[in-house]
Amino acid sequence: MANVTETKPVKSEQTRALIVETALRLFRERGYEATTMRAIAKEAGVSVGNAYYYFGSKEELIQAYYDELQEEHVKACRAVLARERDFAPRLLGVLKARVDTMVPYHQFAGKFFKFAAEPTSPLNPFSAESGPARSAAVAIYREVVDGSTLKIDPEFRQELPELLWLYSMGIVLYWVHDSSPGCRKTYLLIERTVPLVNRMVTMSRLPGFKSVTRELVSVIRDVRA
């Protein structure tokens, strides 16, 4: 009985993973809009009812993709976050790891972007449905900040991780449209902009910039409210 009980969750996870893998392949081959849950179930070798048991819609499949991609990113960041203490190398390593984990999905991302960019879509990274993946992403940048030797205003420090996530979303947007071999230009963009971000963040503690930083924090909190 114990073996049967232990096997069921494993098989369940395998089926779930198979459905996600099949869906992503079909999204790449046929496009997101043209791919139906019925087609995904058929290709995965499961019943339509079984597919809907794990995922209520195609949107839920994309959320699973977001979650898996985020988990891959977290794993890829571990080495640099354990090794580096200075803010700039930590940020550089995390952003490069982000691109490293996304590269295999580059072709799919270009086709999928128009749906994710729709403001009312649950696939939008700013949507309520994307909240868990977004929170996990912001948490990585909080780790970048909190584990560093960075000395800045406490209120600005509190808001910085979300600002860094927004910066990373700009990198992702550029990556989607990057046609250079191996997304070389995206890596170059990261390498050239991280020192600028580091400089601006470091300057925030200087007397002449403190009022600007506090105003920025006020704007962020007012917009979020």
Side-chain angles (χ1 to χ4, degrees):
M1 286 292 292
N3 288 338
V4 173
T5 304
E6 290 171 5
T7 301
K8 283 185 177 180
V10 172
K11 186 175 180 181
S12 177
E13 283 302 311
Q14 288 174 341
T15 302
R16 188 178 188 277
L18 175 62
I19 293 171
V20 173
E21 181 183 343
T22 303
L24 291 177
R25 176 171 59 81
L26 292 182
F27 292 157
R28 288 195 298 267
E29 294 173 356
R30 305 179 186 181
Y32 176 76
E33 198 169 24
T35 301
T36 64
M37 287 293 285
R38 182 174 296 277
I40 293 169
K42 183 179 179 180
E43 286 287 321
V46 301
S47 68
V48 176
N50 203 14
Y52 274 110
Y53 171 79
Y54 289 99
F55 301 98
S57 65
K58 290 194 296 183
E59 287 79 6
E60 287 188 17
L61 278 163
I62 293 298
Q63 294 301 336
Y65 158 69
Y66 285 166
D67 292 340
E68 287 189 11
L69 194 61
Q70 185 58 39
E71 287 177 12
E72 289 178 26
H73 184 213
V74 170
K75 292 176 184 176
C77 291
R78 283 295 150 232
V80 70
L81 292 177
R83 182 178 67 249
E84 301 289 351
R85 282 293 169 263
D86 288 343
F87 172 70
R90 288 170 72 83
L91 179 59
L92 180 68
V94 166
L95 288 172
K96 283 188 172 182
R98 179 64 170 167
V99 178
D100 289 344
T101 56
M102 293 191 305
V103 164
Y105 304 98
H106 192 245
Q107 186 178 1
F108 163 64
K111 296 176 181 178
F112 168 71
F113 176 71
K114 66 178 181 179
F115 299 100
E118 172 61 43
T120 59
S121 171
L123 305 179
N124 191 300
F126 296 93
S127 70
E129 291 82 354
S130 298
R134 184 171 60 250
S135 295
V138 172
I140 283 292
Y141 294 101
R142 187 165 301 285
E143 192 171 342
V144 168
V145 174
D146 290 347
S148 74
T149 56
L150 194 63
K151 299 185 184 303
I152 53 175
D153 180 84
E155 286 193 313
F156 183 48
R157 190 184 191 93
Q158 179 66 26
E159 303 299 336
L160 184 56
E162 189 165 347
L163 288 174
L164 293 176
W165 174 74
L166 290 171
Y167 162 51
S168 77
M169 292 304 296
I171 298 292
V172 171
L173 178 60
Y174 183 87
W175 168 79
V176 168
H177 296 89
D178 184 5
S179 60
S180 63
C183 300
R184 179 183 59 82
K185 289 185 178 180
T186 302
Y187 288 104
L188 178 62
L189 179 65
I190 293 171
E191 290 168 0
R192 296 292 296 273
T193 56
V194 164
L196 296 176
V197 172
N198 180 53
R199 194 178 308 166
M200 287 187 288
V201 169
T202 303
M203 289 173 64
S204 70
R205 68 172 182 256
L206 299 177
F209 289 89
K210 281 186 178 180
S211 60
V212 176
T213 301
R214 287 170 184 165
E215 182 63 25
L216 175 60
V217 169
S218 176
V219 169
I220 294 168
R221 291 177 176 175
D222 286 346
V223 169
R224 185 190 296 138

